[in-house]
Amino acid sequence: MNNVLSPPIVALLVLSVGLAGDLASGQVGADRLAQLAPTPPMGWNSWNKFACNVSEQMIREMTDAMVSSGMKAAGYKYVNIDDCWQVSRDAQGTIVADPTRFPSGIEALADYVHRKGLKLGVYTDAGRLTCEKRPGSLDHEVQDAKTYAAWGVDYVKIDWCHAEGLDPEVQYAKFRDALAQAGRPIIFSICNWGVKAPWQWGPRTGNLWRTTGDIKDNYDRMSVIGFSQNGLEKFAGLGHWNDPDMLEVGNGGMKRDEYLTHMSLWALLAAPLLAGNDLRSMDAETKEILTNPEVIAVDQDTKGLQGHRLWDEGPLEIWAKQLGDGGYAVGLFNRGESELKITLDSKMLGITGPARLRNLWEHQELGSLNNSYSAMVPKHGVVMLKVTTQ
Ligand code: GAL
């Protein structure tokens, strides 16, 4: 039989493929993404502290620590294995976990994490290899998405190493469609470091997209990343979030005031909160910063707005985020090298009527905001406020 298709049949096929594409990338896709991450995802990821040194034993211990440390109760949900869990593909092309480091396999690990009431994430790369030269997912997008779904994976971070000549907008859309068809809700984290302005196409493609290169556990790098996010707020919203990279709180390279700046800024930015420290040996100071319910509530506010800079003068910056209850979260940041006074003027927020002030790190009511409020802010530090309009 002649297997050349007649023109009307070709036209029909093109039309139906086009419609399927519209469905995947259009409203259906947008609704699906919004349901998966109505607020910025919260969890833990292995990379910042452990890099390639991951194992099933460590991930189980971290899962236990997520519960016993109070992180789970504070809202952290995802336990994410980053690079280096995978070693090869089998004869069918299925991705294979390192048998020495993950002897029970990823499916058993997902079961363990689920039994603790948490969710499991894995990592791959849109190119030929991951950054640590493990097999990437190029040309295996559908197969890998199905494998993750079969294993019970809830979150996938997809990196951009060894992707020369590829277009991230095209490649990540392939993953979006593969995940949509995989039969399991899986959060989709795009990790291409801001290449080709992912905030412009990310909202219709994934749940979060990295806006910059990697964070480091020092004030200079953290602050350059965090304070450079101004202007990206219009691209974030329910289900789709700008990602200024994972948290370094507790990894030892910053002072307390600097980690308070890190956590406050990420909350004002409605950034995903992925802790990157060793939860098994977390000290009280780190725990207090990572689990402060008033600061987490700013990040997780259901209105889903990302904050922005209201004012700056030399090393001083005031950032604010409007909240669902009509109030504002405000950060008075001092990027300078000595303690300095910062004054919040109610006009900066457009408030004309009465308003109350609360200090979110000190858990302290500060009384009425009478036109302005001034505070001494330490070097590299922050005063984080909630302004409630009456
Ligand atoms: C980088 C990525 C990091 C981490 C690392 C793993 O590209 O930005 O967050 O995933 O790869 O190799």
Side-chain angles (χ1 to χ4, degrees), residues 89 125-127 137-148 158 166 170-172 174-176 178-179:
R89 292 189 181 274
D125 190 287
S137 286
L138 184 63
D139 299 330
H140 290 273
E141 293 86 1
V142 170
Q143 185 176 23
D144 285 354
K146 278 193 187 139
T147 303
Y148 303 151
I158 303 182
L166 300 174
V170 173
Q171 293 309 120
Y172 284 109
K174 283 188 192 164
F175 270 107
R176 172 201 58 209
L179 289 168

mmCIF file with all atom_site columns, all heavy atoms in Angstrom, residues 89 125-127 137-148 158 166 170-172 174-176 178-179:
data_model
loop_
_atom_site.group_PDB
_atom_site.id
_atom_site.type_symbol
_atom_site.label_atom_id
_atom_site.label_alt_id
_atom_site.label_comp_id
_atom_site.label_asym_id
_atom_site.label_entity_id
_atom_site.label_seq_id
_atom_site.pdbx_PDB_ins_code
_atom_site.Cartn_x
_atom_site.Cartn_y
_atom_site.Cartn_z
_atom_site.occupancy
_atom_site.B_iso_or_equiv
_atom_site.pdbx_formal_charge
_atom_site.auth_seq_id
_atom_site.auth_comp_id
_atom_site.auth_asym_id
_atom_site.auth_atom_id
_atom_site.pdbx_PDB_model_num
ATOM 1   N N   . ARG A 1 89  ? 23.020 4.918  31.437 1.00 0.00 ? 89  ARG A N   1
ATOM 2   C CA  . ARG A 1 89  ? 21.718 4.462  30.939 1.00 0.00 ? 89  ARG A CA  1
ATOM 3   C C   . ARG A 1 89  ? 21.822 2.970  30.644 1.00 0.00 ? 89  ARG A C   1
ATOM 4   O O   . ARG A 1 89  ? 22.882 2.503  30.216 1.00 0.00 ? 89  ARG A O   1
ATOM 5   C CB  . ARG A 1 89  ? 21.319 5.223  29.668 1.00 0.00 ? 89  ARG A CB  1
ATOM 6   C CG  . ARG A 1 89  ? 21.021 6.681  29.937 1.00 0.00 ? 89  ARG A CG  1
ATOM 7   C CD  . ARG A 1 89  ? 20.411 7.401  28.747 1.00 0.00 ? 89  ARG A CD  1
ATOM 8   N NE  . ARG A 1 89  ? 20.192 8.787  29.111 1.00 0.00 ? 89  ARG A NE  1
ATOM 9   C CZ  . ARG A 1 89  ? 19.107 9.259  29.737 1.00 0.00 ? 89  ARG A CZ  1
ATOM 10  N NH1 . ARG A 1 89  ? 18.103 8.428  30.013 1.00 0.00 ? 89  ARG A NH1 1
ATOM 11  N NH2 . ARG A 1 89  ? 19.007 10.518 30.063 1.00 0.00 ? 89  ARG A NH2 1
ATOM 12  N N   . ASP A 1 125 ? 19.774 17.340 33.376 1.00 0.00 ? 125 ASP A N   1
ATOM 13  C CA  . ASP A 1 125 ? 20.307 18.430 32.565 1.00 0.00 ? 125 ASP A CA  1
ATOM 14  C C   . ASP A 1 125 ? 19.658 18.346 31.188 1.00 0.00 ? 125 ASP A C   1
ATOM 15  O O   . ASP A 1 125 ? 19.434 17.257 30.663 1.00 0.00 ? 125 ASP A O   1
ATOM 16  C CB  . ASP A 1 125 ? 21.827 18.258 32.460 1.00 0.00 ? 125 ASP A CB  1
ATOM 17  C CG  . ASP A 1 125 ? 22.505 19.461 31.857 1.00 0.00 ? 125 ASP A CG  1
ATOM 18  O OD1 . ASP A 1 125 ? 22.390 19.672 30.634 1.00 0.00 ? 125 ASP A OD1 1
ATOM 19  O OD2 . ASP A 1 125 ? 23.163 20.205 32.615 1.00 0.00 ? 125 ASP A OD2 1
ATOM 20  N N   . ALA A 1 126 ? 19.370 19.510 30.616 1.00 0.00 ? 126 ALA A N   1
ATOM 21  C CA  . ALA A 1 126 ? 18.717 19.528 29.307 1.00 0.00 ? 126 ALA A CA  1
ATOM 22  C C   . ALA A 1 126 ? 19.684 19.174 28.181 1.00 0.00 ? 126 ALA A C   1
ATOM 23  O O   . ALA A 1 126 ? 19.265 18.859 27.067 1.00 0.00 ? 126 ALA A O   1
ATOM 24  C CB  . ALA A 1 126 ? 18.111 20.911 29.052 1.00 0.00 ? 126 ALA A CB  1
ATOM 25  N N   . GLY A 1 127 ? 20.980 19.211 28.470 1.00 0.00 ? 127 GLY A N   1
ATOM 26  C CA  . GLY A 1 127 ? 21.987 18.927 27.444 1.00 0.00 ? 127 GLY A CA  1
ATOM 27  C C   . GLY A 1 127 ? 22.433 17.474 27.460 1.00 0.00 ? 127 GLY A C   1
ATOM 28  O O   . GLY A 1 127 ? 21.770 16.599 28.005 1.00 0.00 ? 127 GLY A O   1
ATOM 29  N N   . SER A 1 137 ? 19.692 14.655 29.764 1.00 0.00 ? 137 SER A N   1
ATOM 30  C CA  . SER A 1 137 ? 18.400 14.140 29.270 1.00 0.00 ? 137 SER A CA  1
ATOM 31  C C   . SER A 1 137 ? 18.143 14.457 27.803 1.00 0.00 ? 137 SER A C   1
ATOM 32  O O   . SER A 1 137 ? 17.053 14.166 27.312 1.00 0.00 ? 137 SER A O   1
ATOM 33  C CB  . SER A 1 137 ? 17.255 14.727 30.101 1.00 0.00 ? 137 SER A CB  1
ATOM 34  O OG  . SER A 1 137 ? 17.214 14.128 31.370 1.00 0.00 ? 137 SER A OG  1
ATOM 35  N N   . LEU A 1 138 ? 19.115 15.046 27.094 1.00 0.00 ? 138 LEU A N   1
ATOM 36  C CA  . LEU A 1 138 ? 18.869 15.406 25.697 1.00 0.00 ? 138 LEU A CA  1
ATOM 37  C C   . LEU A 1 138 ? 18.407 14.174 24.903 1.00 0.00 ? 138 LEU A C   1
ATOM 38  O O   . LEU A 1 138 ? 19.046 13.113 24.970 1.00 0.00 ? 138 LEU A O   1
ATOM 39  C CB  . LEU A 1 138 ? 20.150 15.981 25.070 1.00 0.00 ? 138 LEU A CB  1
ATOM 40  C CG  . LEU A 1 138 ? 19.995 16.486 23.639 1.00 0.00 ? 138 LEU A CG  1
ATOM 41  C CD1 . LEU A 1 138 ? 19.023 17.649 23.551 1.00 0.00 ? 138 LEU A CD1 1
ATOM 42  C CD2 . LEU A 1 138 ? 21.352 16.883 23.051 1.00 0.00 ? 138 LEU A CD2 1
ATOM 43  N N   . ASP A 1 139 ? 17.299 14.322 24.203 1.00 0.00 ? 139 ASP A N   1
ATOM 44  C CA  . ASP A 1 139 ? 16.686 13.242 23.413 1.00 0.00 ? 139 ASP A CA  1
ATOM 45  C C   . ASP A 1 139 ? 16.124 12.101 24.267 1.00 0.00 ? 139 ASP A C   1
ATOM 46  O O   . ASP A 1 139 ? 15.733 11.062 23.742 1.00 0.00 ? 139 ASP A O   1
ATOM 47  C CB  . ASP A 1 139 ? 17.668 12.668 22.366 1.00 0.00 ? 139 ASP A CB  1
ATOM 48  C CG  . ASP A 1 139 ? 18.098 13.744 21.376 1.00 0.00 ? 139 ASP A CG  1
ATOM 49  O OD1 . ASP A 1 139 ? 17.284 14.666 21.132 1.00 0.00 ? 139 ASP A OD1 1
ATOM 50  O OD2 . ASP A 1 139 ? 19.228 13.687 20.878 1.00 0.00 ? 139 ASP A OD2 1
ATOM 51  N N   . HIS A 1 140 ? 16.096 12.285 25.584 1.00 0.00 ? 140 HIS A N   1
ATOM 52  C CA  . HIS A 1 140 ? 15.479 11.302 26.487 1.00 0.00 ? 140 HIS A CA  1
ATOM 53  C C   . HIS A 1 140 ? 14.407 11.975 27.336 1.00 0.00 ? 140 HIS A C   1
ATOM 54  O O   . HIS A 1 140 ? 14.063 11.459 28.399 1.00 0.00 ? 140 HIS A O   1
ATOM 55  C CB  . HIS A 1 140 ? 16.533 10.687 27.418 1.00 0.00 ? 140 HIS A CB  1
ATOM 56  C CG  . HIS A 1 140 ? 17.499 9.781  26.730 1.00 0.00 ? 140 HIS A CG  1
ATOM 57  N ND1 . HIS A 1 140 ? 17.265 8.443  26.525 1.00 0.00 ? 140 HIS A ND1 1
ATOM 58  C CD2 . HIS A 1 140 ? 18.705 10.031 26.179 1.00 0.00 ? 140 HIS A CD2 1
ATOM 59  C CE1 . HIS A 1 140 ? 18.291 7.900  25.889 1.00 0.00 ? 140 HIS A CE1 1
ATOM 60  N NE2 . HIS A 1 140 ? 19.180 8.852  25.662 1.00 0.00 ? 140 HIS A NE2 1
ATOM 61  N N   . GLU A 1 141 ? 13.913 13.127 26.890 1.00 0.00 ? 141 GLU A N   1
ATOM 62  C CA  . GLU A 1 141 ? 13.011 13.917 27.736 1.00 0.00 ? 141 GLU A CA  1
ATOM 63  C C   . GLU A 1 141 ? 11.785 13.107 28.151 1.00 0.00 ? 141 GLU A C   1
ATOM 64  O O   . GLU A 1 141 ? 11.445 13.040 29.342 1.00 0.00 ? 141 GLU A O   1
ATOM 65  C CB  . GLU A 1 141 ? 12.575 15.203 27.016 1.00 0.00 ? 141 GLU A CB  1
ATOM 66  C CG  . GLU A 1 141 ? 13.701 16.211 26.775 1.00 0.00 ? 141 GLU A CG  1
ATOM 67  C CD  . GLU A 1 141 ? 14.488 15.965 25.487 1.00 0.00 ? 141 GLU A CD  1
ATOM 68  O OE1 . GLU A 1 141 ? 14.136 15.007 24.758 1.00 0.00 ? 141 GLU A OE1 1
ATOM 69  O OE2 . GLU A 1 141 ? 15.455 16.706 25.220 1.00 0.00 ? 141 GLU A OE2 1
ATOM 70  N N   . VAL A 1 142 ? 11.117 12.488 27.183 1.00 0.00 ? 142 VAL A N   1
ATOM 71  C CA  . VAL A 1 142 ? 9.874  11.766 27.485 1.00 0.00 ? 142 VAL A CA  1
ATOM 72  C C   . VAL A 1 142 ? 10.170 10.543 28.349 1.00 0.00 ? 142 VAL A C   1
ATOM 73  O O   . VAL A 1 142 ? 9.494  10.284 29.354 1.00 0.00 ? 142 VAL A O   1
ATOM 74  C CB  . VAL A 1 142 ? 9.156  11.364 26.162 1.00 0.00 ? 142 VAL A CB  1
ATOM 75  C CG1 . VAL A 1 142 ? 7.996  10.414 26.440 1.00 0.00 ? 142 VAL A CG1 1
ATOM 76  C CG2 . VAL A 1 142 ? 8.673  12.619 25.435 1.00 0.00 ? 142 VAL A CG2 1
ATOM 77  N N   . GLN A 1 143 ? 11.222 9.832  27.991 1.00 0.00 ? 143 GLN A N   1
ATOM 78  C CA  . GLN A 1 143 ? 11.595 8.626  28.736 1.00 0.00 ? 143 GLN A CA  1
ATOM 79  C C   . GLN A 1 143 ? 11.964 8.974  30.186 1.00 0.00 ? 143 GLN A C   1
ATOM 80  O O   . GLN A 1 143 ? 11.531 8.296  31.129 1.00 0.00 ? 143 GLN A O   1
ATOM 81  C CB  . GLN A 1 143 ? 12.801 7.969  28.045 1.00 0.00 ? 143 GLN A CB  1
ATOM 82  C CG  . GLN A 1 143 ? 13.200 6.654  28.669 1.00 0.00 ? 143 GLN A CG  1
ATOM 83  C CD  . GLN A 1 143 ? 14.337 5.990  27.893 1.00 0.00 ? 143 GLN A CD  1
ATOM 84  O OE1 . GLN A 1 143 ? 15.091 6.673  27.190 1.00 0.00 ? 143 GLN A OE1 1
ATOM 85  N NE2 . GLN A 1 143 ? 14.444 4.676  28.028 1.00 0.00 ? 143 GLN A NE2 1
ATOM 86  N N   . ASP A 1 144 ? 12.728 10.030 30.376 1.00 0.00 ? 144 ASP A N   1
ATOM 87  C CA  . ASP A 1 144 ? 13.136 10.394 31.739 1.00 0.00 ? 144 ASP A CA  1
ATOM 88  C C   . ASP A 1 144 ? 11.940 10.867 32.564 1.00 0.00 ? 144 ASP A C   1
ATOM 89  O O   . ASP A 1 144 ? 11.812 10.516 33.738 1.00 0.00 ? 144 ASP A O   1
ATOM 90  C CB  . ASP A 1 144 ? 14.236 11.469 31.712 1.00 0.00 ? 144 ASP A CB  1
ATOM 91  C CG  . ASP A 1 144 ? 15.595 10.879 31.316 1.00 0.00 ? 144 ASP A CG  1
ATOM 92  O OD1 . ASP A 1 144 ? 15.679 9.641  31.183 1.00 0.00 ? 144 ASP A OD1 1
ATOM 93  O OD2 . ASP A 1 144 ? 16.551 11.653 31.143 1.00 0.00 ? 144 ASP A OD2 1
ATOM 94  N N   . ALA A 1 145 ? 11.072 11.662 31.949 1.00 0.00 ? 145 ALA A N   1
ATOM 95  C CA  . ALA A 1 145 ? 9.892  12.139 32.692 1.00 0.00 ? 145 ALA A CA  1
ATOM 96  C C   . ALA A 1 145 ? 9.049  10.941 33.149 1.00 0.00 ? 145 ALA A C   1
ATOM 97  O O   . ALA A 1 145 ? 8.573  10.897 34.285 1.00 0.00 ? 145 ALA A O   1
ATOM 98  C CB  . ALA A 1 145 ? 9.064  13.086 31.820 1.00 0.00 ? 145 ALA A CB  1
ATOM 99  N N   . LYS A 1 146 ? 8.914  9.950  32.269 1.00 0.00 ? 146 LYS A N   1
ATOM 100 C CA  . LYS A 1 146 ? 8.127  8.747  32.622 1.00 0.00 ? 146 LYS A CA  1
ATOM 101 C C   . LYS A 1 146 ? 8.816  7.971  33.738 1.00 0.00 ? 146 LYS A C   1
ATOM 102 O O   . LYS A 1 146 ? 8.166  7.453  34.661 1.00 0.00 ? 146 LYS A O   1
ATOM 103 C CB  . LYS A 1 146 ? 7.989  7.834  31.402 1.00 0.00 ? 146 LYS A CB  1
ATOM 104 C CG  . LYS A 1 146 ? 6.886  8.272  30.474 1.00 0.00 ? 146 LYS A CG  1
ATOM 105 C CD  . LYS A 1 146 ? 6.584  7.164  29.467 1.00 0.00 ? 146 LYS A CD  1
ATOM 106 C CE  . LYS A 1 146 ? 5.593  7.678  28.449 1.00 0.00 ? 146 LYS A CE  1
ATOM 107 N NZ  . LYS A 1 146 ? 5.883  7.264  27.085 1.00 0.00 ? 146 LYS A NZ  1
ATOM 108 N N   . THR A 1 147 ? 10.121 7.864  33.661 1.00 0.00 ? 147 THR A N   1
ATOM 109 C CA  . THR A 1 147 ? 10.877 7.141  34.704 1.00 0.00 ? 147 THR A CA  1
ATOM 110 C C   . THR A 1 147 ? 10.694 7.829  36.055 1.00 0.00 ? 147 THR A C   1
ATOM 111 O O   . THR A 1 147 ? 10.414 7.177  37.071 1.00 0.00 ? 147 THR A O   1
ATOM 112 C CB  . THR A 1 147 ? 12.377 7.090  34.331 1.00 0.00 ? 147 THR A CB  1
ATOM 113 O OG1 . THR A 1 147 ? 12.496 6.486  33.056 1.00 0.00 ? 147 THR A OG1 1
ATOM 114 C CG2 . THR A 1 147 ? 13.179 6.313  35.359 1.00 0.00 ? 147 THR A CG2 1
ATOM 115 N N   . TYR A 1 148 ? 10.864 9.149  36.061 1.00 0.00 ? 148 TYR A N   1
ATOM 116 C CA  . TYR A 1 148 ? 10.713 9.873  37.340 1.00 0.00 ? 148 TYR A CA  1
ATOM 117 C C   . TYR A 1 148 ? 9.300  9.652  37.905 1.00 0.00 ? 148 TYR A C   1
ATOM 118 O O   . TYR A 1 148 ? 9.138  9.431  39.107 1.00 0.00 ? 148 TYR A O   1
ATOM 119 C CB  . TYR A 1 148 ? 10.935 11.386 37.161 1.00 0.00 ? 148 TYR A CB  1
ATOM 120 C CG  . TYR A 1 148 ? 12.275 11.784 36.581 1.00 0.00 ? 148 TYR A CG  1
ATOM 121 C CD1 . TYR A 1 148 ? 12.404 12.950 35.821 1.00 0.00 ? 148 TYR A CD1 1
ATOM 122 C CD2 . TYR A 1 148 ? 13.421 11.009 36.788 1.00 0.00 ? 148 TYR A CD2 1
ATOM 123 C CE1 . TYR A 1 148 ? 13.621 13.336 35.291 1.00 0.00 ? 148 TYR A CE1 1
ATOM 124 C CE2 . TYR A 1 148 ? 14.645 11.389 36.234 1.00 0.00 ? 148 TYR A CE2 1
ATOM 125 C CZ  . TYR A 1 148 ? 14.734 12.553 35.485 1.00 0.00 ? 148 TYR A CZ  1
ATOM 126 O OH  . TYR A 1 148 ? 15.928 12.933 34.956 1.00 0.00 ? 148 TYR A OH  1
ATOM 127 N N   . ILE A 1 158 ? 16.188 20.988 36.215 1.00 0.00 ? 158 ILE A N   1
ATOM 128 C CA  . ILE A 1 158 ? 16.843 20.661 34.947 1.00 0.00 ? 158 ILE A CA  1
ATOM 129 C C   . ILE A 1 158 ? 17.863 21.742 34.592 1.00 0.00 ? 158 ILE A C   1
ATOM 130 O O   . ILE A 1 158 ? 17.515 22.887 34.346 1.00 0.00 ? 158 ILE A O   1
ATOM 131 C CB  . ILE A 1 158 ? 15.787 20.436 33.840 1.00 0.00 ? 158 ILE A CB  1
ATOM 132 C CG1 . ILE A 1 158 ? 14.830 19.320 34.301 1.00 0.00 ? 158 ILE A CG1 1
ATOM 133 C CG2 . ILE A 1 158 ? 16.477 20.072 32.534 1.00 0.00 ? 158 ILE A CG2 1
ATOM 134 C CD1 . ILE A 1 158 ? 13.761 18.932 33.332 1.00 0.00 ? 158 ILE A CD1 1
ATOM 135 N N   . LEU A 1 166 ? 21.914 24.600 21.650 1.00 0.00 ? 166 LEU A N   1
ATOM 136 C CA  . LEU A 1 166 ? 20.484 24.362 21.905 1.00 0.00 ? 166 LEU A CA  1
ATOM 137 C C   . LEU A 1 166 ? 19.813 25.657 22.357 1.00 0.00 ? 166 LEU A C   1
ATOM 138 O O   . LEU A 1 166 ? 20.457 26.540 22.917 1.00 0.00 ? 166 LEU A O   1
ATOM 139 C CB  . LEU A 1 166 ? 20.305 23.296 22.988 1.00 0.00 ? 166 LEU A CB  1
ATOM 140 C CG  . LEU A 1 166 ? 20.904 21.910 22.681 1.00 0.00 ? 166 LEU A CG  1
ATOM 141 C CD1 . LEU A 1 166 ? 20.780 21.006 23.904 1.00 0.00 ? 166 LEU A CD1 1
ATOM 142 C CD2 . LEU A 1 166 ? 20.192 21.284 21.486 1.00 0.00 ? 166 LEU A CD2 1
ATOM 143 N N   . VAL A 1 170 ? 13.163 26.252 23.668 1.00 0.00 ? 170 VAL A N   1
ATOM 144 C CA  . VAL A 1 170 ? 12.673 25.052 22.964 1.00 0.00 ? 170 VAL A CA  1
ATOM 145 C C   . VAL A 1 170 ? 12.883 23.799 23.811 1.00 0.00 ? 170 VAL A C   1
ATOM 146 O O   . VAL A 1 170 ? 11.978 22.982 23.991 1.00 0.00 ? 170 VAL A O   1
ATOM 147 C CB  . VAL A 1 170 ? 13.414 24.908 21.602 1.00 0.00 ? 170 VAL A CB  1
ATOM 148 C CG1 . VAL A 1 170 ? 13.066 23.588 20.937 1.00 0.00 ? 170 VAL A CG1 1
ATOM 149 C CG2 . VAL A 1 170 ? 13.101 26.097 20.702 1.00 0.00 ? 170 VAL A CG2 1
ATOM 150 N N   . GLN A 1 171 ? 14.083 23.660 24.364 1.00 0.00 ? 171 GLN A N   1
ATOM 151 C CA  . GLN A 1 171 ? 14.401 22.435 25.117 1.00 0.00 ? 171 GLN A CA  1
ATOM 152 C C   . GLN A 1 171 ? 13.551 22.303 26.380 1.00 0.00 ? 171 GLN A C   1
ATOM 153 O O   . GLN A 1 171 ? 13.054 21.222 26.698 1.00 0.00 ? 171 GLN A O   1
ATOM 154 C CB  . GLN A 1 171 ? 15.887 22.408 25.501 1.00 0.00 ? 171 GLN A CB  1
ATOM 155 C CG  . GLN A 1 171 ? 16.823 22.268 24.330 1.00 0.00 ? 171 GLN A CG  1
ATOM 156 C CD  . GLN A 1 171 ? 16.474 21.111 23.419 1.00 0.00 ? 171 GLN A CD  1
ATOM 157 O OE1 . GLN A 1 171 ? 16.207 21.299 22.228 1.00 0.00 ? 171 GLN A OE1 1
ATOM 158 N NE2 . GLN A 1 171 ? 16.441 19.907 23.947 1.00 0.00 ? 171 GLN A NE2 1
ATOM 159 N N   . TYR A 1 172 ? 13.380 23.418 27.101 1.00 0.00 ? 172 TYR A N   1
ATOM 160 C CA  . TYR A 1 172 ? 12.606 23.324 28.352 1.00 0.00 ? 172 TYR A CA  1
ATOM 161 C C   . TYR A 1 172 ? 11.118 23.110 28.071 1.00 0.00 ? 172 TYR A C   1
ATOM 162 O O   . TYR A 1 172 ? 10.423 22.477 28.865 1.00 0.00 ? 172 TYR A O   1
ATOM 163 C CB  . TYR A 1 172 ? 12.867 24.548 29.234 1.00 0.00 ? 172 TYR A CB  1
ATOM 164 C CG  . TYR A 1 172 ? 14.215 24.480 29.923 1.00 0.00 ? 172 TYR A CG  1
ATOM 165 C CD1 . TYR A 1 172 ? 15.270 25.314 29.542 1.00 0.00 ? 172 TYR A CD1 1
ATOM 166 C CD2 . TYR A 1 172 ? 14.453 23.564 30.936 1.00 0.00 ? 172 TYR A CD2 1
ATOM 167 C CE1 . TYR A 1 172 ? 16.513 25.240 30.157 1.00 0.00 ? 172 TYR A CE1 1
ATOM 168 C CE2 . TYR A 1 172 ? 15.687 23.475 31.564 1.00 0.00 ? 172 TYR A CE2 1
ATOM 169 C CZ  . TYR A 1 172 ? 16.723 24.316 31.170 1.00 0.00 ? 172 TYR A CZ  1
ATOM 170 O OH  . TYR A 1 172 ? 17.940 24.217 31.789 1.00 0.00 ? 172 TYR A OH  1
ATOM 171 N N   . LYS A 1 174 ? 10.074 21.169 25.766 1.00 0.00 ? 174 LYS A N   1
ATOM 172 C CA  . LYS A 1 174 ? 9.972  19.705 25.561 1.00 0.00 ? 174 LYS A CA  1
ATOM 173 C C   . LYS A 1 174 ? 9.785  18.998 26.900 1.00 0.00 ? 174 LYS A C   1
ATOM 174 O O   . LYS A 1 174 ? 8.998  18.063 27.022 1.00 0.00 ? 174 LYS A O   1
ATOM 175 C CB  . LYS A 1 174 ? 11.255 19.175 24.906 1.00 0.00 ? 174 LYS A CB  1
ATOM 176 C CG  . LYS A 1 174 ? 11.350 19.459 23.437 1.00 0.00 ? 174 LYS A CG  1
ATOM 177 C CD  . LYS A 1 174 ? 12.548 18.728 22.856 1.00 0.00 ? 174 LYS A CD  1
ATOM 178 C CE  . LYS A 1 174 ? 12.814 19.255 21.447 1.00 0.00 ? 174 LYS A CE  1
ATOM 179 N NZ  . LYS A 1 174 ? 14.134 18.900 20.955 1.00 0.00 ? 174 LYS A NZ  1
ATOM 180 N N   . PHE A 1 175 ? 10.516 19.455 27.910 1.00 0.00 ? 175 PHE A N   1
ATOM 181 C CA  . PHE A 1 175 ? 10.367 18.867 29.238 1.00 0.00 ? 175 PHE A CA  1
ATOM 182 C C   . PHE A 1 175 ? 8.996  19.148 29.832 1.00 0.00 ? 175 PHE A C   1
ATOM 183 O O   . PHE A 1 175 ? 8.396  18.287 30.462 1.00 0.00 ? 175 PHE A O   1
ATOM 184 C CB  . PHE A 1 175 ? 11.428 19.416 30.197 1.00 0.00 ? 175 PHE A CB  1
ATOM 185 C CG  . PHE A 1 175 ? 12.659 18.605 30.191 1.00 0.00 ? 175 PHE A CG  1
ATOM 186 C CD1 . PHE A 1 175 ? 13.801 19.071 29.589 1.00 0.00 ? 175 PHE A CD1 1
ATOM 187 C CD2 . PHE A 1 175 ? 12.669 17.356 30.793 1.00 0.00 ? 175 PHE A CD2 1
ATOM 188 C CE1 . PHE A 1 175 ? 14.941 18.307 29.565 1.00 0.00 ? 175 PHE A CE1 1
ATOM 189 C CE2 . PHE A 1 175 ? 13.804 16.594 30.776 1.00 0.00 ? 175 PHE A CE2 1
ATOM 190 C CZ  . PHE A 1 175 ? 14.954 17.071 30.160 1.00 0.00 ? 175 PHE A CZ  1
ATOM 191 N N   . ARG A 1 176 ? 8.542  20.386 29.645 1.00 0.00 ? 176 ARG A N   1
ATOM 192 C CA  . ARG A 1 176 ? 7.211  20.728 30.161 1.00 0.00 ? 176 ARG A CA  1
ATOM 193 C C   . ARG A 1 176 ? 6.181  19.746 29.600 1.00 0.00 ? 176 ARG A C   1
ATOM 194 O O   . ARG A 1 176 ? 5.374  19.184 30.345 1.00 0.00 ? 176 ARG A O   1
ATOM 195 C CB  . ARG A 1 176 ? 6.833  22.154 29.746 1.00 0.00 ? 176 ARG A CB  1
ATOM 196 C CG  . ARG A 1 176 ? 5.382  22.502 30.097 1.00 0.00 ? 176 ARG A CG  1
ATOM 197 C CD  . ARG A 1 176 ? 4.855  23.666 29.275 1.00 0.00 ? 176 ARG A CD  1
ATOM 198 N NE  . ARG A 1 176 ? 4.939  23.389 27.861 1.00 0.00 ? 176 ARG A NE  1
ATOM 199 C CZ  . ARG A 1 176 ? 5.100  24.320 26.928 1.00 0.00 ? 176 ARG A CZ  1
ATOM 200 N NH1 . ARG A 1 176 ? 5.197  25.588 27.252 1.00 0.00 ? 176 ARG A NH1 1
ATOM 201 N NH2 . ARG A 1 176 ? 5.164  23.992 25.643 1.00 0.00 ? 176 ARG A NH2 1
ATOM 202 N N   . ALA A 1 178 ? 6.716  16.787 28.244 1.00 0.00 ? 178 ALA A N   1
ATOM 203 C CA  . ALA A 1 178 ? 6.995  15.410 28.695 1.00 0.00 ? 178 ALA A CA  1
ATOM 204 C C   . ALA A 1 178 ? 6.479  15.214 30.121 1.00 0.00 ? 178 ALA A C   1
ATOM 205 O O   . ALA A 1 178 ? 5.866  14.182 30.433 1.00 0.00 ? 178 ALA A O   1
ATOM 206 C CB  . ALA A 1 178 ? 8.496  15.139 28.640 1.00 0.00 ? 178 ALA A CB  1
ATOM 207 N N   . LEU A 1 179 ? 6.690  16.203 30.975 1.00 0.00 ? 179 LEU A N   1
ATOM 208 C CA  . LEU A 1 179 ? 6.228  16.080 32.374 1.00 0.00 ? 179 LEU A CA  1
ATOM 209 C C   . LEU A 1 179 ? 4.698  16.095 32.434 1.00 0.00 ? 179 LEU A C   1
ATOM 210 O O   . LEU A 1 179 ? 4.097  15.369 33.228 1.00 0.00 ? 179 LEU A O   1
ATOM 211 C CB  . LEU A 1 179 ? 6.816  17.202 33.232 1.00 0.00 ? 179 LEU A CB  1
ATOM 212 C CG  . LEU A 1 179 ? 8.323  17.080 33.515 1.00 0.00 ? 179 LEU A CG  1
ATOM 213 C CD1 . LEU A 1 179 ? 8.876  18.378 34.106 1.00 0.00 ? 179 LEU A CD1 1
ATOM 214 C CD2 . LEU A 1 179 ? 8.621  15.905 34.454 1.00 0.00 ? 179 LEU A CD2 1
#
